[in-house]
C-alpha cells in the first residue's frame, strides 16, 4: 500500500501533491487556500468538510473582550489575526463571489449584580493597562446602544474594535475558492499518515469514507434548509476538478501533510508518539434563534450564574447564542441541561428572546491544548505540519494560522513562535 | 365540477364511497378504521397523515389525574373511552401487526410547596367524592415509586388506573390496518365540502396537494430517523389499494363526510355558517428526551411555577415532556420561551433529565372548543358529521369517538349526547 519513497516536493500532479491537508474546517480550508495561492499543489481530505467545530462556531473575532488575565500571548495572536481579517475576507469574497457578513460594530460585555460590575471594572482597568481600546458604560448607556438588553443590566464594557463573521459562510466561501483554484476536497477519512524513512509521504485513506461524529445535526429546523445551513454533500463548492488523485488506490501522495483535524488531530495513526498533538475535545452546544427584525446591533456577552454567554447577531436577523464548555470526550449529544443553560442565559441578557423561534441547535468539539495556545507549524517529523489546538479561537485565528503554516511549508517558519509544536514534543 | 346528486349510500366503488373522512390524525384514522370494520366503504383525505396534533401528543390516557372541578362531563367521556382502549389497542395490534406500547402503570401527580400540597389534597378529596380510584402518598412514598423524582417533592396523588400510549405508533398502526382493509388514505388537501340540494355529496380536493402547517418538524434530531419518528411519505402503510378513487377529477364522491381535521375543521369551505364547528387552535410544544435506561416507570405530572407539566416514559427509554398551551392562532414555531419552560419544568420534577439527550421538539395545534367538550356526530347538514374539538384529549377519546361517529353514520346517533354538534348550531 505504501507509495514509493520521495522526500522532495514535486510539481502538482494527479498522483502527488505538494501538500495534503487533513481536515476541512475553517482552519484546514484556510491553510489549503493560502497554500494554493502561494503556488503549491494542494488536496484536502475530510469526510464532511465544514461540518465540525466550524459549523458550531459563533464566529466572534473578539480578542479584546475575550482577554483573560493569564493569557496575554493569546491576546497578541488574536489582535494580529483580527488585523488580517478584513483583507482575508475581502480577497475570499472576491475569489468566491460569496459575501462573508464580516461585521465590525464591537462587543458589549455587560454586568448585572454589584460583584459582576466590580469584576468588569477590574477587567476594564486591565484592558486599559494593556493599551486596548475599551469604553466603560453605565447601564443606561448600554441600553441606549442595545435597547433589547435586560433592565437589570448595571453597566458594561464596549470593545469597539471587536468584530464577527458567519463561519458557515466562511467555510462555504473557502470551498468555492478552492474549487475555483482546482484544489480537490476529497470526502474521505484519513486513516493514517504515511512515513518512509523519517519523512512523511502522504496519507492513507480509510477503506470506506465514513463520517465524522463531530457535529450531530440534531435540531436542524425546517427553516434550516437555507443555503447557509448544514453543509450538503451536493453543493457546487465541492465540484472536484479533474484530474483528481486516484482515490481508488486509497493513498494520497504528498510532500507534506498538514494535520488540521481539530479535536481528532491527536488520534491519527502513523504519527509518532512524541509528535502527536496533545489536543482534547471541549464540547460546545450552540443555538440559533430566528427573528424577523434584528434584535441586537453588535455582539453582547455577559456572565450569568457564573458561566459566560454571548449573543451574536447575523445579518438576516438570526441571533446565535453560545456556548457551553464541557469536557466529556467525543460526545456531541444535544442535552437538556446544555440547552436549558443557553436558554436561561439568553433570557437573562435579552428577555425578548423568549418570543423568537429556535432555528437549530448543534454541538461541536473544540480542540483544547494544555496551555490554551494552538499548535501551528512544522513538527519533529519532517513533512508533518500542525494546524490545530485553536480551542475557542479557530475562526479568529484562521488568517494568521494559514499564513504561519504556509511560512512553514515554504521553509520560513519561526521555530521560536509561541504556537510552535516543538513546545510539547519529546518531553519524555 | 360537481358530481351528480345522490343522496343514498351505495356500495363501495372506485368512484363513490359511503364515507370520506377529512383528516388523517388519530381521530380521523380511528373513525375510518371502525367505519371500515362495520362494512362501510371509506376513504381518508389528508396531505400528511399523522403529522398534526397526533404527532405532537404525549398520549396520556389519564381521565382521573386530568380531572378538573368544572369539567365532570369530560371525565365521564374519558373514563368510558379509557375502558375501551385495551380492546381497541389489542384489535389494532392484531390487525396491523404493530405493538402500540399501551401501558397501565398509572399517573403520579406530585406537589412541591405547602400550597401545592394543600391544592393536591383538595383535588384528592374531590376525586374520592367522585368515586375515582386514587391514593395519597407522602414525598418519601413518591420517591420510592419513582426514585428519580426531585428531593423537594412533598407528596403526591397516584391515579393507578390511568394509562398511556405512543400516539405515533397508534397512527402508524391505524394506517397499516387501513391499508390492509383496502381503505385509501389520499395524500391530498380537501378544499371544499360539496353539497347538492341540502345534502353532502363529497369533497373537492385542492388543485395541488399542498401540505399542512400543523407540525413544523423543527428539531428532528439525527436519531429521529427511527421507524417511529416523523411520518414519512414512503411508509408501507400508505400503499394505496387499487382501484382507488379518480383523484385526477379532484373530487371524491361520498354519501357522508366526516370532518376530522382538528384545528382546521372550522375553516373548510362549503360548510354552511351555522354548522361550521367552533374550534380554535391551541398550540402545544413538546419535547422528547432520550435515555439509555428508563428514567420513570409511570407518568409523572406536577405544577411548576403555576403551569402544569407532565413526563411520559416510552418503552425504549424515551421521556416525553409536555406541553405548553398557547393561544396564538395557526402558529407552530418552536420558540425559545416554550422550550425554556419545558426544560425548566422537567428539571424541577426530575433533576436528572439534565443529562439526557434532546431527541426532538415539535409543536402541534389542538382543536379547542368553547365548552372544552369535543364535537362528535351528525350535524344539521345531512351527510356531514363532525369528529373534532378534542383539545387535549384526542388520543384518549379516539376509541369512543370512533364508536360515536360510526353510530351516527349508521343512523344510531344519540341526539342528546353531550358531544352532539347541535349544541352550537344555528345559535343566531
Amino acid at each position: 500500500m505504501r507509495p514509493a519513497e520521495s522526500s522532495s516536493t514535486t510539481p502538482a500532479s494527479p498522483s502527488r501533491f505538494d501538500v495534503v491537508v487533513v481536515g476541512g474546517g475553517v482552519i484546514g480550508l484556510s491553510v489549503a487556500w493560502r497554500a494554493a495561492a502561494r503556488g503549491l499543489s494542494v488536496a484536502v481530505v475530510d469526510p464532511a468538510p465544514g461540518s465540525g467545530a466550524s459549523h458550531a462556531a459563533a464566529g466572534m473575532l473578539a480578542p479584546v473582550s475575550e482577554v483573560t488575565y493569564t493569557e496575554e500571548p493569546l491576546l497578541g495572536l488574536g489582535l494580529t489575526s483580527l488585523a488580517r481579517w478584513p483583507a482575508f475576507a475581502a480577497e475570499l469574497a472576491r475569489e468566491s463571489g460569496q459575501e462573508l457578513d464580516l461585521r465590525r460594530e464591537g462587543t458589549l460585555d455587560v454586568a448585572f449584580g454589584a460583584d459582576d460590575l466590580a469584576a468588569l471594572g477590574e477587567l476594564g482597568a486591565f484592558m486599559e493597562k494593556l493599551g486596548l481600546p475599551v469604553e466603560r458604560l453605565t447601564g443606561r448607556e448600554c441600553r441606549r446602544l442595545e435597547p433589547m438588553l435586560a433592565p437589570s443590566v448595571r453597566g458594561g464594557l464596549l470593545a469597539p474594535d471587536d468584530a464577527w463573521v458567519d463561519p458557515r459562510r466562511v467555510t462555504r466561501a473557502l470551498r468555492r475558492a478552492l474549487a475555483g483554484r482546482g484544489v480537490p476536497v476529497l470526502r474521505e477519512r484519513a486513516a493514517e499518515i504515511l512515513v518512509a524513512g523519517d519523512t512523511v509521504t502522504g496519507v492513507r485513506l480509510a477503506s470506506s469514507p465514513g463520517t465524522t461524529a463531530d457535529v450531530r445535526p440534531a435540531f436542524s429546523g425546517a427553516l434550516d434548509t437555507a443555503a447557509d445551513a448544514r453543509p450538503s454533500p451536493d453543493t457546487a463548492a465541492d465540484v472536484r476538478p479533474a484530474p483528481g488523485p486516484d482515490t481508488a488506490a486509497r493513498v494520497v501522495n504528498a510532500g507534506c501533510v498538514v494535520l488540521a483535524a481539530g479535536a481528532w488531530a491527536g488520534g491519527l495513526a502513523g504519527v509518532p508518539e512524541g509528535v502527536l498533538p496533545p489536543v482534547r475535545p471541549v464540547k460546545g452546544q450552540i443555538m440559533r434563534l430566528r427573528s424577523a427584525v434584528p434584535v441586537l446591533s453588535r455582539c453582547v456577552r455577559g456572565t450569568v450564574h457564573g458561566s459566560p454567554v454571548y449573543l451574536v447577531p447575523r445579518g438576516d436577523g438570526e441571533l446565535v447564542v453560545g456556548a457551553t464548555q464541557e469536557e466529556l470526550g467525543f460526545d456531541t449529544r444535544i442535552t437538556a441541561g446544555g440547552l436549558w443553560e443557553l436558554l436561561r442565559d439568553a433570557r437573562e441578557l435579552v428577555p425578548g428572546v423568549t418570543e423568537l423561534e429556535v432555528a437549530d441547535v448543534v454541538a461541536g468539539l473544540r480542540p483544547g491544548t494544555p496551555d490554551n495556545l494552538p499548535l501551528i507549524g512544522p513538527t519533529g517529523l519532517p513533512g508533518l505540519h500542525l494546524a490545530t489546538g485553536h480551542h475557542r479561537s479557530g475562526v479568529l485565528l484562521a488568517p494568521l494560522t494559514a499564513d504561519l503554516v504556509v511560512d512553514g511549508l515554504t521553509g520560513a517558519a519561526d521555530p521560536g513562535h509561541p504556537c510552535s509544536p516543538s513546545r510539547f514534543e519529546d518531553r519524555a
Side-chain angles (χ1 to χ4, degrees), chain A:
Chain A
M1 286 291 275
R2 283 201 177 172
E5 181 174 354
S6 165
S7 60
S8 69
T9 306
T10 61
S13 83
S15 61
R16 188 164 191 285
F17 292 86
D18 294 330
V19 183
V20 58
V21 180
V22 176
V26 68
I27 294 294
L29 295 173
S30 294
V31 166
W33 180 53
R34 298 284 73 191
R38 199 72 78 86
L40 300 173
S41 69
V42 184
V44 178
V45 174
D46 191 316
S51 73
S54 305
H55 188 65
M60 286 178 76
L61 312 176
V64 175
S65 68
E66 298 227 327
V67 71
T68 59
Y69 295 109
T70 56
E71 292 177 359
E72 290 161 45
L74 187 59
L75 169 67
L77 297 173
L79 290 172
T80 304
S81 200
L82 175 59
R84 297 186 189 182
W85 252 106
F88 182 90
E91 188 173 343
L92 181 53
R94 201 167 50 239
E95 204 172 307
S96 67
Q98 178 99 37
E99 269 313 307
L100 297 188
D101 202 14
L102 174 67
R103 294 179 59 186
R104 315 198 63 184
E105 285 92 347
T107 302
L108 177 60
D109 194 349
V110 300
F112 293 91
D115 289 353
D116 254 19
L117 200 60
L120 207 61
E122 279 173 39
L123 185 63
F126 177 66
M127 289 169 168
E128 285 159 355
K129 206 178 110 191
L130 293 171
L132 299 174
V134 62
E135 298 167 27
R136 295 159 188 261
L137 304 179
T138 64
R140 176 173 298 207
E141 288 167 337
C142 289
R143 280 185 293 280
R144 200 174 298 145
L145 287 180
E146 297 293 349
M148 299 291 282
L149 274 179
S152 50
V153 163
R154 298 271 298 273
L157 281 179
L158 178 67
D161 292 353
D162 278 354
W164 69 99
V165 73
D166 182 342
R168 299 183 188 181
R169 287 178 181 250
V170 174
T171 53
R172 201 163 61 243
L174 284 166
R175 288 157 72 193
R176 292 218 175 136
L178 289 174
R181 287 183 175 273
V183 173
V185 177
L186 307 173
R187 293 184 162 271
E188 304 274 355
R189 192 170 66 74
E192 186 182 5
I193 301 285
L194 298 173
V195 181
D198 65 350
T199 303
V200 161
T201 62
V203 170
R204 188 172 62 76
L205 303 177
S207 49
S208 67
T211 54
T212 50
D214 186 5
V215 165
R216 165 166 303 171
F219 286 61
S220 276
L223 291 175
D224 197 7
T225 50
D228 68 329
R230 181 157 23 139
S232 144
D234 307 313
T235 56
D238 279 315
V239 171
R240 294 183 198 168
D246 177 16
T247 59
R250 314 309 301 162
V251 164
V252 182
N253 300 314
C256 292
V257 172
V258 178
L259 190 44
W264 286 266
L268 195 59
V271 182
E273 190 71 27
V275 176
L276 265 182
V279 289
R280 68 183 196 283
V282 183
K283 177 179 175 180
Q285 303 186 47
I286 203 165
M287 178 173 63
R288 289 190 309 135
L289 303 176
R290 199 174 293 272
S291 172
V293 293
V295 176
L296 298 175
S297 54
R298 58 181 58 66
C299 289
V300 169
R301 50 185 299 152
T303 301
V304 179
H305 298 281
S307 63
V309 59
Y310 48 80
L311 304 176
V312 179
R314 298 261 181 264
D316 52 7
E318 254 181 34
L319 195 63
V320 178
V321 183
T324 66
Q325 288 207 61
E326 303 160 77
E327 306 254 358
L328 295 166
F330 289 90
D331 169 4
T332 52
R333 299 175 312 138
I334 303 297
T335 61
L339 193 48
W340 181 75
E341 258 183 54
L342 292 176
L343 290 162
R344 177 197 62 185
D345 297 355
R347 283 176 84 251
E348 198 99 4
L349 280 178
V350 177
V353 300
T354 301
E355 304 303 324
L356 303 191
E357 179 174 5
V358 182
D360 75 0
V361 185
V362 293
L365 297 173
R366 314 169 184 94
T369 63
D371 61 1
N372 287 340
L373 286 177
L375 295 151
I376 306 171
T379 68
L381 175 64
L384 180 66
H385 299 247
L386 297 186
T388 183
H390 293 77
H391 198 203
R392 308 176 61 237
S393 307
V395 181
L396 170 61
L397 298 181
L400 174 62
T401 301
D403 290 345
L404 289 174
V405 171
V406 173
D407 284 349
L409 290 170
T410 54
D414 166 12
H417 195 276
C419 297
S420 170
S422 63
R423 71 192 191 274
F424 291 118
E425 283 177 15
D426 298 312
R427 301 214 144 196

